[in-house]
Amino acid sequence: MTTILRASKIKCPRILLIILLLIGQNLYVSAAPKQKGVAFDFGIGAGYSTLGYKTQSTDLLKTHATGSWGMRANIGVNYFFNNYIGLGVGFSFTRYGGGMSLNGKLLWEDVTDTDGERYNHHLQLHNWREIQQQLFLAPNLTLQAAIPAGRARVLIRLGAEYAMCFQSSFDGYGKLTHTGYYPFGNLTLHDLEKYGFYTTNRFHPTGELPTDVQQVSLIGAVGMGIPVAKNTEFTIAVEAAYAVWSSNKTPAGGENAIGFHENSTALNGGQDPHYFIPDYVSLTTTSLTQGAMHPLYVGLQIGVRYTLPLRKRYPCMCLMW
């Protein structure tokens, strides 16, 4: 028994020494001079985005363009010609989001209620929001630079991509208040749902937008590559994409009427008290939206890179994220 314990005490330091040597060797290899070569990379991230259009307010209605969350994923391969400069090709998925907020009033004058009386219908909008999203797939080409920083590297990427939209939609929500003003009696009616005068936050319109959109975007990123094992690096970067050209040559805004018709069952004997209110369409197709769309995304991306050694000495320390 004593002999076994002594043998164990001898083996333990040896095993620990071997582990330390392996770790040290890995750190040494990670710090080895960089060489040209090929790498396969994957990254995913999230951040802030807008669709890049402008809004136009009216005397009664105040508008404001807003942003939304964005997401971007990229897979690619690159080749470094030397220790510092390389080219990369890849394929990306990007979720652009944006929206518009409305506060104020819409007015339909001299309309008829369910009893045949003439009045003015007022619709008050309380922090109404419409969120739009566009999903794109895009091949990309990038020029890359790598600047040594100890065992890590500062990574810079600049390039362009040709993006094709495959899904686009909108989602609206907020609080609406319907009231009726009767000039002949200087009377305002509210909280009479039977006659179409009420407050609600249940109206939640959704719909699809055109997807026949292509765009060219400039892309760029600045980050770090940190070796974690042989042939493998962890990457983290701040990434941006901005659409500088779109196949849609017309302004984003259109001539569709602004409408908040709820398309609900008639409230009074088969009559629709809101027959004069147009159906809801995306605000991007109305005169409230001005100018072409130029989607923007800025976010933080993390990823992993596997290096394919081309020489006996490895890893090749080339990177595209």
Side-chain angles (χ1 to χ4, degrees), residues 97-119:
M100 184 188 304
S101 65
L102 301 181
N103 281 283
K105 181 185 296 185
L106 292 173
L107 174 64
W108 290 270
E109 294 183 295
D110 197 27
V111 296
T112 305
D113 65 15
T114 54
D115 290 335
E117 301 289 344
R118 311 296 293 185
Y119 79 105

Side-chain angles (χ1 to χ4, degrees), residues 208-264:
E208 299 296 319
L209 293 170
T211 58
D212 55 342
V213 177
Q214 298 83 41
Q215 62 189 32
V216 174
S217 298
L218 297 179
I219 56 176
V222 177
M224 297 287 292
I226 304 170
V228 294
K230 286 185 178 180
N231 294 352
T232 305
E233 283 185 295
F234 169 78
T235 62
I236 183 169
V238 175
E239 185 179 32
Y242 177 69
V244 295
W245 175 87
S246 172
S247 62
N248 183 5
K249 298 299 183 181
T250 60
E255 297 302 324
N256 288 330
I258 305 167
F260 284 82
H261 194 280
E262 297 185 48
N263 292 320
S264 58

